């Protein structure tokens, strides 16, 4: 506060600093969106190839081809999620700084804060941001005996939550829900904070989605659109709940964060615009996808074609009918060749058995002739 001159400006600079710290993650997300957008024509060509077929095997095969495309082009669908996951714990820590200035800005211990709350006469206030104005009203002498308390100079430099004498940032909009507060300008301004929070959050989600790549396809467009509409209402309403029940300083921080987020995404979209495609680009991508060898027809390592029930109805669709007929002919030719091989093997086996039998008969006949000749010779000698 001593550096900025006012807590309102300090909140704005604080939100700006956080956006600058998180800017590298935003750049990475934008690059990820650009890479995904470049794959859009090929992805749509794959989806078109399987359009009109809602059976699970076909849908699974379509997803498999899209994943193969992503791997080939070096795109990770989860690459944009990591920056978001990193931001969450950081944002929670930042909210705590705004929410508890006595602890994180003034450096008071938990015991000192408890003593300050007892002197002020309240312990129900959420956080410590609501204690600052009352502490300034009571003056330094009321807290100089608190163990571990700040010096007189530090007390004088405590954040000033009074905005130009119009309203106090330590007050919650919930406290202004009475006739006396509504009749005053200060009450109206504080009640306006949750409303502005909703507007800022709503615009932030809408415009950010407009500036970033949004994967859409005919099959899931209605479902995705419904989901986005729900999120566009639920998330801003949740921010309104927080801004209504917590001190106005937190609501203003949320507003600054959303507005700076819109500005950041707008600048990134201009510096690194998403690629735009013509009808010729989509046709070229469709031609490339359809000219690739069909890996869906299973082939064993030996080169033999394998029958698959996943493609039993491929002849019923124009986009797969020609390949299905070719596959059917190849399968029939393979079965015919296998049949001929089996017959030839059987025939050779029969000839081999006959030859062995002939040789055996010859040996048996030769042995009989030898015995007969021997008997005749013995008779003549006698």
């Amino acid at each position: 506060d001593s550096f900025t001159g006012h807590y309102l400006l300090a909140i704005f600079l604080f939100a700006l600093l956080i956006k600058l710290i998180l800017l590298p993650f935003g750049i990475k997300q934008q690059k990820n969106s650009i890479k995904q957008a470049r794959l859009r024509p090929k992805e749509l060509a794959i989806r078109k190839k399987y359009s009109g077929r809602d059976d699970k095997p076909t849908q699974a095969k379509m997803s498999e081809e899209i994943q193969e495309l992503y791997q080939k082009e070096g795109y990770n669908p989860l690459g944009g999620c990591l920056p978001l996951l990193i931001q969450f714990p950081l944002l929670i820590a930042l909210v705590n700084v705004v929410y508890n200035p006595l602890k994180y800005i003034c450096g008071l211990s938990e015991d000192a804060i408890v003593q300050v709350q007892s002197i002020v006469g309240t312990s129900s206030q959420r956080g410590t941001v609501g204690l600052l104005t009352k502490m300034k009203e009571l003056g330094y002498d009321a807290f100089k005996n608190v163990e571990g308390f700040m010096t007189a100079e530090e007390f004088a430099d405590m954040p000033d939550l009074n905005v130009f004498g119009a309203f106090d940032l330590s007050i919650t909009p919930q406290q202004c829900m009475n006739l006396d507060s509504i009749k005053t300008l200060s009450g109206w301004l504080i009640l306006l904070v949750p409303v502005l929070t909703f507007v800022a959050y709503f615009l932030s989600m809408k415009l950010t989605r407009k500036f970033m790549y949004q994967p859409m396809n005919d099959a899931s467009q209605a479902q995705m659109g419904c989901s986005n509409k729900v999120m566009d209402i639920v998330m801003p309403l949740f921010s309104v709940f927080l801004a209504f029940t917590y001190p106005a300083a937190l609501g203003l921080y949320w507003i600054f964060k959303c507005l700076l987020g819109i500005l950041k995404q707008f600048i990134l979209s201009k510096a690194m615009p998403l690629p735009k495609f013509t009808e010729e680009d989509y046709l070229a991508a469709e031609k490339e996808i359809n000219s690739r060898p069909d890996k869906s027809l299973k082939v064993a390592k030996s080169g033999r074609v394998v029958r698959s029930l996943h493609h039993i109805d491929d002849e019923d669709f124009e986009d797969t009918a020609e390949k299905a007929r070719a596959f059917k002919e190849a399968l029939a030719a393979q079965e015919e060749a296998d049949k001929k091989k089996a017959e030839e093997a059987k025939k050779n086996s029969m000839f081999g058995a006959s030859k062995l039998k002939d040789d055996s008969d010859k040996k048996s006949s030769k042995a009989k002739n030898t015995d007969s000749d021997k008997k005749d010779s013995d008779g003549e000698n006698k």
Side-chain angles (χ1 to χ4, degrees):
D1 187 50
S2 60
F3 174 74
T4 61
H6 201 281
Y7 194 64
L8 180 64
L9 181 58
I11 293 177
F12 174 78
L13 293 178
F14 184 67
L16 178 60
L17 177 63
I18 297 308
K19 285 298 177 184
L20 292 176
I21 293 175
L22 297 178
L23 183 59
F25 296 109
I27 294 175
K28 186 175 182 180
Q29 282 182 294
Q30 186 68 13
K31 289 181 178 179
N32 198 65
S33 296
I34 292 173
K35 187 177 291 186
Q36 186 179 15
R38 286 174 178 167
L39 297 177
R40 180 175 176 81
K42 294 181 181 179
E43 181 180 343
L44 289 179
I46 294 174
R47 294 186 183 278
K48 184 177 180 180
K49 184 171 70 170
Y50 293 97
S51 62
R53 304 173 63 181
D54 299 329
D55 56 289
K56 290 184 177 180
T58 302
Q59 293 297 312
K61 186 58 189 174
M62 180 183 70
S63 300
E64 182 182 344
E65 283 196 32
I66 293 176
Q67 291 302 318
E68 289 178 357
L69 174 65
Y70 288 166
Q71 292 177 4
K72 180 181 177 182
E73 300 295 335
Y75 166 69
N76 182 9
L78 301 179
C81 298
L82 181 60
L84 293 176
L85 295 176
I86 295 176
Q87 291 182 44
F88 278 122
L90 183 57
L91 291 176
I92 292 173
L94 298 177
V95 169
N96 285 331
V97 173
V98 178
Y99 184 48
N100 292 297
L102 285 182
K103 180 179 180 181
Y104 296 105
I105 298 178
C106 300
L108 296 184
S109 64
E110 295 290 345
D111 293 337
I113 292 175
V114 172
Q115 294 180 54
V116 169
Q117 288 177 333
S118 64
I119 294 173
V120 172
T122 177
S123 59
S124 60
Q125 187 73 29
R126 294 179 177 179
T128 61
V129 66
L131 301 176
L132 296 178
T133 301
K134 295 180 180 180
M135 289 173 65
K136 282 184 174 292
E137 292 175 355
L138 294 175
Y140 176 74
D141 292 338
F143 306 97
K144 64 181 180 179
N145 294 327
V146 174
E147 184 177 356
F149 196 69
M150 63 191 81
T151 63
E153 291 77 12
E154 292 173 340
F155 184 86
D157 290 336
M158 273 199 320
D160 184 8
L161 297 182
N162 194 291
V163 180
F164 310 124
F167 65 97
D168 188 355
L169 294 178
S170 66
I171 299 176
T172 66
Q174 190 175 19
Q175 292 175 322
C176 296
M177 293 297 293
N178 56 72
L179 292 177
D180 294 335
S181 298
I182 292 176
K183 292 178 182 179
T184 64
L185 176 62
S186 176
W188 274 105
L189 291 175
I190 292 176
L191 287 174
L192 191 61
V193 170
V195 178
L196 294 178
T197 302
F198 178 86
V199 174
Y201 206 127
F202 182 82
L203 289 177
S204 176
M205 296 185 68
K206 281 287 187 181
L207 295 178
T208 299
R209 190 177 296 120
K210 181 179 179 180
F211 293 142
M212 294 182 67
Y213 172 75
Q214 298 297 321
M216 280 288 187
N217 57 81
D218 296 337
S220 62
Q221 187 171 5
Q223 182 178 357
M224 183 66 71
C226 180
S227 176
N228 288 337
K229 289 179 181 178
V230 172
M231 293 298 293
D232 288 344
I233 299 298
V234 172
M235 294 305 295
L237 286 178
F238 178 70
S239 68
V240 169
F241 168 76
L242 294 179
F244 184 75
T245 56
Y246 286 85
L250 184 60
L252 284 177
Y253 168 75
W254 208 293
I255 293 171
F256 290 147
K257 183 179 75 71
C258 291
L259 295 179
L260 290 172
I262 295 174
L263 179 62
K264 180 207 72 174
Q265 197 59 49
F266 175 77
I267 294 174
L268 289 178
S269 66
K270 293 299 181 181
M272 295 183 291
L274 297 176
K276 296 181 179 180
F277 300 100
T278 62
E279 187 66 25
E280 288 75 14
D281 295 326
Y282 288 105
L283 292 175
E286 186 176 349
K287 184 178 180 180
E288 179 183 347
I289 294 297
N290 292 332
S291 63
R292 292 177 181 175
D294 190 3
K295 296 182 180 180
S296 63
L297 304 179
K298 295 185 178 180
V299 179
K301 293 182 179 180
S302 60
R304 292 176 55 80
V305 182
V306 181
R307 188 188 299 273
S308 174
L309 293 177
H310 290 180
H311 307 279
I312 196 170
D313 60 344
D314 281 359
E315 290 186 77
D316 298 335
F317 300 90
E318 294 182 1
D319 58 332
T320 57
E322 184 176 350
K323 292 180 180 179
R325 284 193 291 269
F327 174 70
K328 187 176 181 180
E329 292 173 1
L331 190 62
Q334 179 177 275
E335 290 176 351
E336 184 66 23
D338 291 344
K339 185 177 179 181
K340 288 182 179 180
K341 286 182 180 180
E343 291 177 353
E344 185 177 350
K346 184 178 180 181
K347 185 176 180 182
N348 291 336
S349 177
M350 290 175 63
F351 289 152
S354 177
K355 187 176 181 180
L356 290 173
K357 186 175 180 181
D358 290 343
D359 292 342
S360 178
D361 292 341
K362 287 180 180 179
K363 289 181 180 180
S364 178
S365 176
K366 187 177 181 179
K368 288 180 180 179
N369 292 333
T370 302
D371 292 341
S372 178
D373 293 340
K374 187 177 181 180
K375 288 180 179 179
D376 293 339
S377 176
D378 291 340
E380 290 177 358
N381 291 331
K382 288 180 180 180

